[in-house]
Structure formats: C-alpha cells, structure tokens
Amino acid sequence: MIMQDPHREPIPLSEAEVGSCYRVLSVNATGVIRQRMLDMGLVPGVCLTVLRFAPLGDPIEIRINRFFMSLRREEARFVQVLPVAICPRPHHGRFRRFFRGGFFHGGR
Amino acid sequence: MDVSAVSFGGDFFMADDKQIFIALAGNPNSGKTSIFNCLAGANQKVGNFSGVTVEKVEGSFRHRGYTIRLVDLPGTYSLSPYSPEEKVARDFILFQKPDMVVNIVDATNLERNLVLTTQLMDLEVELLIVFNMIDEVEKQKTKIDYRQFEKLFGAHVIPVSAITQFGIRDLLDHIVDIKSGKIETLKYKHQYSDGIEEDIRALSDAIAGRTAWKHLPTRWLAIKLIEHDPDIIAMLKPFPCWASIEESIGSTREKILRFEKKDAEVLLAEERMAFIRGAIKETVVNDEEQRESLTEKIDNILLHRFLGLPVFLLIMYAIFQFTFRLGEYPMLWIDRFFQLITRSLDALIPASMLKSILLDGIIAGVGGVLVFLPNILILFFCISLLEATGYMARVAFVMDKLMHRLGLHGKSFIPMITGFGCTVPALMAARTLRNRGDRITTMMVVPFFSCGAKLPLYTVVISAFFAPSMAGNVLFGIYIFGVLIGLISARLLKSTAFKDESEPFVMELPPYRKPSARSMLSQTWIRAYMYLKKAGTVILLASVIIWFAGTYPKNAELHRHYESLRQQAAADIVSLDRQEKAQQLPYSFAGRIGKFFEPLSRPLGFDWRLNIALINGLAAKEIVVSTMGTIYAIGDVDSDFRTLAESLRSDPHYSKATGLSFMIFVLLYVPCIASVAVFFRESSSKKWTFLFVLYTLSVAWLGAFAVYQISTLLGL
C-alpha cells in the first residue's frame, strides 16, 4: 500500500509522484489559466491521481474521477496538493509502483 | 418517425410559432456532434460564426408539425471566454436567444460535464439536459435516478445513446412538448450559499433597469461581475453607469476574500462543484468498483515512458506513407484525365486565343490543384481519425515539451509534419490551435517544411550538379535546412510578435472512442470541399494571369519567322513550336519581369530564366520544373528529367553554387497562391497574409544569398 503520512506538508502538483493520490488544496494560478483549471474540475477539495509524465518528461497527466487531464509542470506549480493515503482506486499498490516506468508498465 | 429532412431555404419556414430554434451545447468529446448528426441527418450547412474562424454547423428538420432549427455550438468546458469557441458559444446563447438550449452531457463523466450545466442554469435559459452515452453507463452497471436529478437541476433529463439511437425520438418529443407548453419546466436557478446569494441579489438590484444592459440576464451578469470576468467587464466599462457598479463589485470581492480567504471565482467554482458532487451522490449509484478503464490500459502503452515516443513516430510515419503512397495512384489518374482532356480538346478546337486560355491557362492551373485532392482527402481522413479516436490530444501531450521549447504548443506538431506533404492542408490543420499567436506562428513556419511539390525540382537540380552518390545527402540537407529555418522562425516570432500570447497546456486527454464512419467521412468531405472551393477559384484566376503574362505581348516578327519555317520543314513542327515558345518568352511580360528582377537575383546567381521559373512557381511549385523545361526548349520535361539536368549542367552561367542557391530559394519562398489564399482565410488578417508573403520571400532571398556567396567562396 502507498502509506503516506496524512500530515505531510502540502506540495505543488509539479512535484507530485506518479501513481500517488492527492487532494487539491488551492489553485493559485492567475487569470484565464486559473479559470480554465477551475472549469475543468481542478477545484480545491477534489481528489486526483497522478498517472504519468509525458515521455519527454513534461506535461503531466492526472485523473480526476474519470476525467483525464494534462497540464505542464509550469502550470502544475500553481496547484497546491496534499498527499492522501486513501486512493479511490485501491489496486495502485506496491506491485505497480515497482514496475512503473519499465516495459511492464501496462501489465497487471 | 416524422423526421423528414428539409432543405435549408429561408422561405421554407412556416408560421413563427411552429418553428423551434435550438442550440446544442456541451463539453468537447460529449458526443454532441453525433447527436447533431442523429437529429439533423445529412441536412447540414457548414459555415463560420461571424467574424471568427470557429466552425458553425446548422441543420433543420421537421418533427410533429414543427420545424426545428438546430445550431451546433462549439464544444466548451464552460462559458468563461477562455477560447474563441467558448466566447462564440456564450455570445450565441446571449444574443441570438435560442428558444431552448439542449445541453449534451457525457453521462459517464458527470462530474466535469455538469460544470457547464450549472453555468447554463445561471444564464436562465430554457434548458433541456441530455444524458448521452447511456449505453456505456448501463454497461458499467451504474444507475441514475433521473426523477431526483430533474428535481435538483430544474430541467428535464433525457437519457440518450447516439450510437444505438436510443432516446432520440423521446428527445424530439420533449423539445416539441416544451415548446408547445405541454410540459412545464421548473427553470431553477442554481443556488449558491446564502452569503453569495445575498451578494448576487444586491448586485442584481444595482444592475437591474439599466437600459444599456437590459438584454442580458441580470442574475448572470451579477455572478460574472463577482467572478471578475474580464470579458464582461470590458463589455460594460464604456457605459456611464459602470462607475457606480464597479465600487460595489470591489467591495463584494473584498468581503469574500476576507471571510472565505479565497478569491470569489474560486469560491463560486467550488460551490458549483460541491453542488454537482452532492447531486451525483444523491442520484447516481455505482455498485461496481471502479476498474482501470480501457483508455488507461491503452495509454499505458501509447504514452509509455519508453514506448510512447517510438509508437508516436510510427503512427506519424504510417500516416505520411499512407497519404503520399496511396495518394499517388489517384493523383496519377487525375493527371492522366487532364492530359486526356487537353489532348482531345487540342485536336477538337482550332488554334485561337480562347483555346490557349483554356488549355494552357485554365485546365493546366485547375488540374494542378485537383491533383492534390487525393492527398488532401487521405490526410484529412487520417487527421479526423486521430481526432475522433482521441489520439490527437496524445500527440500534443507527447510533443509538447519539444514544441514548448520553441514557444509553441504540442498541437503545432501536426500542421508542421503535414507541411512536408502539402502546405495547404497544413495551414488548415493549424485550426486545432486555440491561441491565435500559436496558430499564426505555426502557419508562418509551415512553408519551411518542404512540401511534396518541390521534390521534382530538387531531383532535377541535384542530378544536374551533384554526383549520384551525393544526391541523398544533399536532398536530406535541404530538408533539414528548411526545418531549422522553420524552428528558428517560430522561436523568433514567439519572442517578438506574440511575446505574451502563449497558450497554457491545460487540456483533456479524452477517452478513446470508436469513431463513427459517417461523421468522419462528412468531416473529410467538408474540408475537401472548402479546399476545392476557395483554393480552386483563386488558382483559376492566378493561372489565367500567369498564362497571360507568359504569352503576351506576342512578338509578331518572331511568329512570322517561325510560321515560314514551319511551312518549309513540315517534318519537326513540335520542336519548332517549342523553339518559338522559348524565343517568345523573353519578349513576353513574364520574360520582361524576369529581366526586371535580374539586379535583385544576381547576388543569388539567378539569371532572368530562373526568375521566370520562380515567378511561375508562385502558382504552384510543380510549375517551376515545367517552366524551366519550356525555357530551355526541351519540351515535356516530366517524361525525362535528365535532358533538363544536362542542359542546366552544360550552361556556363550555372554552377553547383547556383544549383544550391536555387534549391534553397525554392525551399523557402512563398509556397503557392493557393497557400496564400488559405492563409488569408484561416488567419482572416490582411496584415499577416502580407507578412507571410514578405517573410517567406525575404528569408528565401537571405538564405539563397548566404548559400550562394559561401559556396562561391568555397569554389563550388
């Protein structure tokens, strides 16, 4: 199991770990970018899972409920998140983490 | 079903009360277009929303004695004006005042889709909610309590599946019943928390009755002002009563910030989301544990850290090959078809000016455009396929880092790669970019990705001046040179003209879907039709002009001389014709223009003959080689390149340096008249179209100058 200390410090989404779950604390971007994030459901209080970084390492893909969304690190910096222990998808366990990034990424 | 399609004539509509005007609104990827196709069938009219290059699709049909006019609004996540599409959708609802807004909701992803629904509720319009993809919901064993949902949202909900056609009839009945008053809708407003509601009410009172804003829903205006919507503020600012309102907006926002410790727009978004989540909790039961969806499984491979890039390159390569290899055959047929027409007309019509216009001008020119149609059809079919399946968003995701380094967006990659095939569809593919700066920049650099029509010229020139063992490397070098110039130009434009206009990369990676054949074919056709219509008319005009410039004024003396020669030696009339053409050329307008530009082209190593080839190349790049063929009086070059190559090699004026410089110029300068026309249509800016021409010409001149001077110094 991914056991994260629920009292850990909030971090920006850009530094989040692949495969882990987070709760959105605040969206500090300005102007239209923030409106865009809010409109797409990246609202304080929602739970998200970090799915992956793009092959070249930049945009990051997250899942909010059943919605897949991607944003660049530079935009993700403005989103403060708190690691949460309970992941809505329970089988994201150690096994997956072990193989993450390897060729068996997609396997069970 | 009484859904008979009708033509779109304006005079068709019956009495006003029997007509229903409907706007379809919904998120991108909510299946809005499929529903539109279900309702309107083949009766669609495609145009643009006034003043913007946002596609507007309209349809019209009859149901139970009513004429229903349907407008498909662009897919939007919300009604805040983030992109032109969203602004168009919002303005349409606000100012065109449809009788009813039908909100298409992806029922498998309610949480995000309902954000738009709550915003539509704020607009206080007649709202009908459609839960699409209900078949998938049932497969997931999810149960939705529609009654309860209707109570919460104050609007009727129709479960529908565009794929199985389930519920379409029910939807139509509802539309008619609501219009005829058989069903009364609740028309709830979306309630915010008490404090906010109080603020909204106070601001509404302040706004109410201002004649200038009377046509806008007051409550919605108040909400938008509290959210500090820049668009609405800009709209209201010019009015004298703004000053009094501005103050109360400021104090309201300040109060919210003080008590809630967050900005008003965040608070309102949070409240909407809280309402949506509450509603879902109350109405949706999902027994099954959420499993990893198919989309995630596919993405685990397609977006894999190591496999992602190779798979992506493979897909791009496949499309490229598919487009140009498969396209070759129909292109050949079209080419042959036009040759046949030319030949049969040649025999049929006696020599006259009209014949010359028809054969050398119109058929040659229009044929030159139609030849690209197979390429364009296949390429756009592939692009529609990428879009419909959902892979297009992944392309942007995979390429964004690289593109972002250049100041561009991941989506710019598609037009650039398309540019290697043909610039015209590439410019059209730039449409998928929302940000104007990104779009224009991408369009400006697309010509530097050497298009297929330039290849014959490279082949001729390379075989004239370079050893066969060098040919591949030189060709590759030319292509790479173009790419480099393109990338540098993008960087340059993004750091000067469009400095602050960078689109943030916040986008959905939509679930993978099986594309529907019908909508893909119709999309491909629509694009092809636009290409034919717009580019065709311009090319027609241009080819007549080029024909005229190359033919007139006639050198009467020369003509008489050849006429007498022809009568003497009847044996080789064809070669005499060619010789006359070649000698007539310097006398014609084109020849004079070519000579006129010699001072400008001499530093690049071009004489007047190459200048004519370049000028004719403005119509289409294939013409460069055929013009050179005419100039060097060797006739039909297409059948035998080597003869042209040989005459180039043996010409004392030309050297390797000339060849290189000429190829670089052709690589970089304005692709063709059609591309300029399409650029204008896509950018709808005279200024940028002018800059497009100017920039490519100056870059071509500078590039060719540098190459010629350097290679002359090196003694090539």
Side-chain angles (χ1 to χ4, degrees):
Chain A
M1 287 294 289
I2 313 165
M3 286 308 291
Q4 252 129 8
D5 183 0
H7 303 295
R8 247 168 75 170
E9 288 291 298
I11 55 163
L13 180 59
S14 50
E15 282 161 33
E17 248 183 85
V18 174
S20 305
C21 294
Y22 301 87
R23 183 174 295 281
V24 177
L25 289 180
S26 63
V27 180
N28 302 319
T30 49
V32 286
I33 304 173
R34 169 160 74 182
Q35 195 58 51
R36 180 65 163 187
M37 290 180 178
L38 295 175
D39 289 341
M40 288 181 95
L42 201 62
V43 174
V46 302
C47 238
L48 61 87
T49 311
V50 178
L51 291 183
R52 61 173 62 81
F53 286 97
L56 293 174
D58 195 7
I60 169 174
E61 186 188 357
I62 59 173
R63 184 171 56 79
I64 304 172
N65 222 347
R66 284 185 188 173
F67 173 55
F68 305 101
M69 177 176 169
S70 77
L71 62 170
R72 286 190 192 125
R73 277 178 205 258
E74 67 188 68
E75 280 115 24
R77 265 188 318 155
F78 297 113
V79 182
Q80 287 287 320
V81 293
L82 193 71
V84 287
I86 311 133
C87 188
R89 183 84 58 72
H91 69 251
H92 274 227
R94 193 185 292 152
F95 182 74
R96 280 187 66 82
R97 279 170 52 119
F98 182 75
F99 283 109
R100 188 191 320 129
F103 277 95
F104 301 104
H105 192 196
R108 289 232 124 203
Chain B
M1 204 193 287
D2 179 24
V3 191
S4 53
V6 293
S7 71
F8 211 83
D11 54 355
F12 178 84
F13 298 122
M14 299 159 68
D16 203 39
D17 60 318
K18 283 288 193 183
Q19 190 188 326
I20 313 177
F21 178 27
I22 288 175
L24 277 189
N27 280 192
N29 312 304
S30 61
K32 200 161 53 65
T33 309
S34 318
I35 294 215
F36 181 87
N37 286 337
C38 280
L39 295 176
N43 250 280
Q44 306 188 7
K45 200 178 80 171
V46 184
N48 277 355
F49 285 97
S50 53
V52 280
T53 43
V54 176
E55 225 164 64
K56 176 191 189 185
V57 189
E58 286 187 52
S60 170
F61 55 93
R62 288 176 60 77
H63 185 68
R64 284 188 6 206
Y66 281 82
T67 300
I68 300 176
R69 188 156 82 91
L70 205 59
V71 174
D72 192 11
L73 296 179
T76 60
Y77 293 108
S78 86
L79 293 178
S80 10
Y82 171 79
S83 66
E85 283 85 357
E86 285 169 13
K87 197 170 148 45
V88 160
R90 173 162 114 180
D91 287 354
F92 190 88
I93 296 172
L94 280 178
F95 300 117
Q96 304 292 316
K97 298 201 181 302
D99 293 326
M100 200 182 302
V101 175
V102 175
N103 178 206
I104 313 290
V105 166
D106 173 2
T108 62
N109 197 348
L110 284 175
E111 201 171 81
R112 196 202 69 237
N113 275 260
L114 290 173
V115 172
L116 180 68
T117 311
T118 54
Q119 295 186 351
L120 288 170
M121 286 164 79
D122 285 340
L123 272 177
E124 296 176 74
V125 286
E126 186 75 67
L127 191 64
L128 182 61
I129 301 174
V130 170
F131 276 16
N132 191 19
M133 308 193 196
I134 212 70
D135 51 330
E136 278 185 48
V137 171
E138 274 161 11
K139 251 185 246 159
Q140 287 167 358
K141 303 215 169 64
T142 304
K143 287 196 178 59
I144 302 174
D145 182 351
Y146 297 108
R147 280 285 109 70
Q148 184 63 19
F149 195 92
E150 283 174 355
K151 267 187 206 151
L152 288 167
F153 278 78
H156 278 256
V157 176
I158 321 283
V160 157
S161 163
I163 294 174
T164 64
Q165 302 267 321
F166 171 83
I168 297 290
R169 167 136 214 169
D170 196 23
L171 168 62
L172 288 169
D173 285 341
H174 255 83
I175 291 172
V176 171
D177 285 346
I178 289 174
K179 173 73 180 183
S180 62
K182 221 182 209 173
I183 299 177
E184 218 175 299
T185 46
L186 293 160
K187 273 182 231 160
Y188 279 167
K189 295 161 192 153
H190 168 238
Q191 293 288 319
Y192 296 88
S193 61
D194 292 347
I196 300 277
E197 279 296 332
E198 217 166 89
D199 294 331
I200 294 172
R201 214 170 305 128
L203 206 54
S204 296
D205 291 344
I207 298 169
R210 309 276 177 181
T211 46
W213 311 334
K214 229 176 187 167
H215 55 290
L216 297 171
T218 319
R219 179 185 158 82
W220 176 77
L221 263 186
I223 294 168
K224 285 291 135 184
L225 288 173
I226 291 174
E227 284 184 340
H228 238 207
D229 184 316
D231 203 48
I232 298 296
I233 289 175
M235 198 161 80
L236 301 187
K237 226 168 200 168
F239 295 105
C241 31
W242 170 250
S244 60
I245 309 276
E246 192 177 16
E247 211 174 295
S248 53
I249 297 168
S251 65
T252 307
R253 283 177 62 84
E254 214 168 276
K255 193 183 83 190
I256 292 172
L257 190 62
R258 188 147 24 95
F259 286 111
E260 306 284 343
K261 301 270 180 292
K262 54 186 85 165
D263 285 334
E265 55 268 36
V266 179
L267 184 68
L268 288 179
E270 264 183 68
E271 287 203 357
R272 277 191 211 112
M273 205 39 128
F275 168 72
I276 291 165
R277 270 200 240 125
I280 291 175
K281 206 170 253 174
E282 244 181 272
T283 56
V284 179
V285 187
N286 187 355
D287 297 331
E288 225 175 277
E289 174 204 318
Q290 252 192 42
R291 281 177 304 132
E292 192 170 54
S293 61
L294 184 66
T295 295
E296 270 172 277
K297 281 180 191 154
I298 296 174
D299 270 345
N300 281 341
I301 298 164
L302 292 188
L303 298 183
H304 186 272
R305 203 193 254 178
F306 303 129
L307 289 178
L309 218 48
V311 166
F312 159 74
L313 291 174
L314 202 72
I315 292 174
M316 287 298 124
Y317 181 76
I319 290 177
F320 206 61
Q321 287 293 326
F322 194 57
T323 305
F324 295 103
R325 289 265 176 277
L326 199 73
E328 259 173 37
Y329 302 101
M331 281 173 89
L332 204 68
W333 301 333
I334 293 176
D335 204 33
R336 286 216 185 114
F337 174 71
F338 275 98
Q339 274 174 20
L340 191 76
I341 291 184
T342 313
R343 241 176 261 143
S344 47
L345 284 180
D346 196 23
L348 223 66
I349 313 173
S352 64
M353 191 185 112
L354 200 72
K355 177 184 174 181
S356 185
I357 288 190
L358 198 67
L359 294 187
D360 302 338
I362 294 174
I363 293 184
V366 173
V369 178
L370 282 181
V371 152
F372 288 120
L373 192 62
N375 270 349
I376 290 190
L377 280 174
I378 299 173
L379 189 72
F380 272 118
F381 184 80
C382 292
I383 290 182
S384 312
L385 192 70
L386 291 188
E387 264 167 8
T389 50
Y391 189 70
M392 192 62 106
R394 271 83 181 174
V395 171
F397 181 71
V398 169
M399 290 311 290
D400 184 66
K401 177 141 191 205
L402 211 65
M403 290 289 119
H404 192 49
R405 284 255 171 89
L406 304 168
L408 288 173
H409 193 273
K411 283 190 214 158
S412 298
F413 190 76
I414 296 284
M416 286 183 177
I417 211 88
T418 311
F420 283 124
C422 177
T423 307
V424 168
L427 292 174
M428 283 158 81
R431 253 187 212 191
T432 48
L433 290 160
R434 307 215 157 179
N435 177 284
R436 189 178 150 78
D438 286 352
R439 197 164 59 225
I440 301 268
T441 306
T442 308
M443 285 165 65
M444 289 288 281
V445 305
V446 153
F448 301 134
F449 294 78
S450 183
C451 81
K454 295 172 183 172
L455 193 60
L457 176 92
Y458 301 151
T459 321
V460 169
V461 175
I462 289 175
S463 68
F465 298 109
F466 294 91
S469 60
M470 283 286 290
N473 293 340
V474 175
L475 189 66
F476 187 69
I478 295 279
Y479 272 83
I480 292 294
F481 190 81
V483 171
L484 283 179
I485 295 283
L487 299 185
I488 293 167
S489 301
R491 188 72 235 213
L492 200 75
L493 277 166
K494 284 301 283 192
S495 54
T496 52
F498 300 110
K499 213 169 181 173
D500 307 317
E501 288 183 56
S502 205
E503 187 181 344
F505 192 93
V506 181
M507 61 184 283
E508 177 180 7
L509 298 182
Y512 287 108
R513 292 234 162 83
K514 206 167 67 190
S516 96
R518 196 212 260 161
S519 74
M520 290 209 16
L521 287 177
S522 82
Q523 267 190 2
T524 310
W525 168 241
I526 285 164
R527 280 165 167 160
Y529 177 72
M530 282 183 154
Y531 167 77
L532 283 180
K533 198 172 129 200
K534 299 278 179 170
T537 46
V538 175
I539 269 280
L540 193 75
L541 196 69
S543 42
V544 170
I545 292 172
I546 284 182
W547 164 83
F548 184 81
T551 319
Y552 289 93
K554 287 269 191 207
N555 189 337
E557 211 175 295
L558 189 76
H559 187 64
R560 267 199 300 279
H561 170 65
Y562 270 93
E563 207 50 38
S564 64
L565 273 182
R566 255 183 222 116
Q567 270 155 19
Q568 284 164 26
D572 201 3
I573 287 186
V574 181
S575 104
L576 276 179
D577 279 353
R578 282 180 197 153
Q579 276 178 36
E580 186 191 350
K581 255 190 190 163
Q583 290 188 19
Q584 154 71 20
L585 202 62
Y587 192 77
S588 70
F589 287 119
R592 292 170 198 204
I593 293 170
K595 283 227 158 92
F596 175 78
F597 280 112
E598 262 195 346
L600 204 62
S601 72
R602 209 165 289 132
L604 317 180
F606 310 157
D607 61 1
W608 65 273
R609 291 175 296 180
L610 292 181
N611 285 353
I612 298 178
L614 288 176
I615 290 165
N616 283 4
L618 288 174
K621 286 291 158 291
E622 296 87 342
I623 301 179
V624 177
V625 175
S626 64
T627 308
M628 285 167 78
T630 320
I631 299 172
Y632 298 101
I634 48 161
D636 192 11
V637 244
D638 276 332
S639 59
D640 194 355
F641 288 137
R642 229 163 286 134
T643 28
L644 175 57
E646 265 162 20
S647 61
L648 282 176
R649 194 183 311 140
S650 56
D651 197 308
H653 294 102
Y654 302 149
S655 62
K656 260 188 194 154
T658 323
L660 276 178
S661 146
F662 192 63
M663 284 193 290
I664 294 295
F665 198 91
V666 170
L667 165 74
L668 300 176
Y669 88 123
V670 195
C672 55
I673 299 270
S675 73
V676 176
V678 171
F679 190 101
F680 178 64
R681 188 162 57 82
E682 294 293 314
S683 66
S684 49
S685 154
K686 279 189 194 125
K687 185 186 122 196
W688 278 106
T689 313
F690 176 71
L691 283 173
F692 174 71
V693 175
L694 189 74
Y695 184 70
T696 45
L697 279 177
S698 14
V699 169
W701 195 89
L702 289 173
F705 178 75
V707 166
Y708 185 68
Q709 296 301 333
I710 291 170
S711 38
T712 313
L713 276 180
L714 292 175
L716 284 171

